[in-house]
């Protein structure tokens, strides 16, 4: 009897050990991404191995865009924190870890959100033609964020020092050579100011739609050039936008 009891004990102990090992393996798969290099991130991001592999595939698919992986607790206000990743001519895409996990597991979910990202980028490209002529000179990059309901929101990172610098240069410059000389002097001066990176004074403007972003960007530009007088036609730039893509 004692032998049977001992055998049962060994079996129970084996089951317990096996279960514990399986649980640890699953947990390791979920957290192994902690030591990975995901590229641009906001917050402490961790992905499962499957999600991490898919994320690399996603970035390669949209190689003309810069992705920023956001931890689930940092989604709110992520646009403001993403400004440090802004690169001229590159669109930022903010995407949270939960979405990447779901996209890696669910093909339909993946297709839906990849489609949203592609369509939003196309709208941003078309939008640039709707902006006032001077506005684009202040924009460093545009960005996209998609919520859990599939709604895309938009933002732009602008460098306010560009408008200020351009205005001063235009007043002083008498010809192209003088303007280039003044520009270099201003760039060196701006770079020495505290609280700025490489002489930049970055601001993020967010909007729930492309039309709203156009309006807010133009308003920001006109405000920075408030000493100038604009025509009614200039003030109306961006008020109408064709969303049919």
């Amino acid at each position: 009897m004692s032998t049977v009891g001992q055998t049962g004990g060994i079996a129970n102990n084996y089951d317990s050990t096996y279960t514990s090992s399986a649980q640890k393996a699953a947990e390791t798969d979920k957290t192994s991404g902690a030591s990975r290099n995901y590229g641009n991130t906001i917050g402490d991001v961790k992905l499962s191995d499957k999600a991490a592999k898919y994320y690399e595939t996603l970035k390669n698919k949209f190689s003309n865009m810069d992705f920023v992986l956001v931890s689930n607790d940092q989604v709110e206000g992520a646009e403001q924190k993403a400004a440090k990743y802004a690169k001229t001519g590159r669109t930022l895409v903010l995407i949270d870890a939960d979405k990447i996990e779901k996209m890696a597991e669910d093909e339909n979910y993946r297709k839906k959100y990849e489609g949203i990202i592609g369509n939003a980028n196309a709208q941003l490209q078309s939008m640039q033609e709707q902006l006032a002529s001077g506005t684009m000179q202040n924009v460093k990059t545009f960005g996209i964020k998609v919520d859990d309901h599939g709604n895309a929101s938009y933002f732009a990172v602008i460098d306010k020092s560009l408008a200020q610098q351009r205005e001063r240069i235009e007043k002083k410059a008498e010809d192209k050579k003088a303007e280039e000389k003044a520009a270099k002097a201003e760039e060196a001066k701006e770079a020495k100011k505290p609280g700025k990176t490489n002489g930049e004074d970055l601001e993020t403007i967010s909007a729930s739609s492309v039309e709203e972003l156009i309006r807010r960007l133009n308003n920001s530009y006109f405000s920075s050039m408030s000493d100038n007088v604009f025509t009614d036609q200039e003030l109306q730039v961006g008020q109408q936008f064709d969303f049919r893509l």
Side-chain angles (χ1 to χ4, degrees), residues 94-158:
L94 306 186
I95 191 161
D96 58 86
D98 271 354
K99 284 190 183 63
I100 293 298
E101 293 286 353
K102 292 178 183 178
M103 292 169 80
E105 294 289 343
D106 188 329
E107 182 178 358
N108 291 331
Y109 189 89
R110 176 168 65 250
K111 288 181 178 179
K112 174 184 176 181
Y113 276 83
E114 286 185 359
I116 292 171
I117 292 170
N119 184 60
N121 186 45
Q123 289 200 27
L124 284 179
Q125 296 297 321
S126 298
M127 180 201 74
Q128 296 178 33
E129 300 175 3
Q130 302 291 316
L131 291 170
S133 58
T135 303
M136 277 299 299
Q137 298 180 44
N138 296 340
V139 177
K140 185 165 187 180
T141 193
F142 292 99
I144 302 163
K145 187 173 76 171
V146 185
D147 66 19
D148 293 335
H149 303 291
N151 301 311
S153 57
Y154 306 85
F155 64 94
V157 177
I158 62 174

Side-chain angles (χ1 to χ4, degrees), residues 21-223:
S21 298
Q23 290 175 341
K24 288 181 179 179
E27 291 172 358
T28 298
D29 181 63
K30 278 288 187 181
T31 60
S32 58
S35 59
R36 292 179 183 270
N37 179 10
Y38 299 119
N40 302 332
T41 59
I42 296 175
D44 184 16
V45 185
K46 297 178 182 178
L47 295 176
S48 65
D49 286 343
K50 186 174 183 178
K53 291 177 182 177
Y54 165 70
Y55 185 52
E56 291 304 313
T57 300
L58 180 67
K59 290 192 291 183
N60 289 332
K61 183 172 183 177
F62 295 96
S63 58
N64 61 325
M65 307 166 80
D66 291 335
F67 281 75
V68 180
L69 188 58
V70 184
S71 63
N72 301 321
D73 63 333
Q74 295 289 319
V75 174
E76 191 69 28
E79 299 96 324
Q80 303 296 326
K81 300 171 185 176
K84 62 182 178 181
Y85 296 123
K87 294 180 182 178
T88 303
R90 302 280 294 181
T91 299
L92 287 175
V93 181
L94 306 186
I95 191 161
D96 58 86
D98 271 354
K99 284 190 183 63
I100 293 298
E101 293 286 353
K102 292 178 183 178
M103 292 169 80
E105 294 289 343
D106 188 329
E107 182 178 358
N108 291 331
Y109 189 89
R110 176 168 65 250
K111 288 181 178 179
K112 174 184 176 181
Y113 276 83
E114 286 185 359
I116 292 171
I117 292 170
N119 184 60
N121 186 45
Q123 289 200 27
L124 284 179
Q125 296 297 321
S126 298
M127 180 201 74
Q128 296 178 33
E129 300 175 3
Q130 302 291 316
L131 291 170
S133 58
T135 303
M136 277 299 299
Q137 298 180 44
N138 296 340
V139 177
K140 185 165 187 180
T141 193
F142 292 99
I144 302 163
K145 187 173 76 171
V146 185
D147 66 19
D148 293 335
H149 303 291
N151 301 311
S153 57
Y154 306 85
F155 64 94
V157 177
I158 62 174
D159 186 355
K160 294 189 294 183
S161 67
L162 293 177
Q164 299 165 359
Q165 177 176 301
R166 184 175 61 254
E167 187 177 5
R168 289 194 295 268
I169 291 172
E170 288 174 350
K171 290 179 180 179
K172 296 177 183 178
E174 295 179 356
D175 53 39
K176 186 175 181 180
K177 184 177 180 179
E179 183 176 304
E180 291 175 349
K181 183 177 179 180
K184 292 179 181 179
E186 287 295 332
E187 288 174 358
K189 182 179 179 181
E190 293 289 345
K192 295 179 181 179
K193 290 185 178 181
K196 298 181 180 180
T197 303
N198 299 324
E200 298 176 326
D201 185 7
L202 301 181
E203 178 185 352
T204 301
I205 295 178
S206 303
S208 59
S209 68
V210 168
E211 185 178 33
E212 181 186 359
L213 184 60
I214 291 174
R215 184 167 56 253
R216 296 194 66 186
L217 283 172
N218 284 337
N219 287 343
S220 175
Y221 171 70
F222 293 145
S223 176

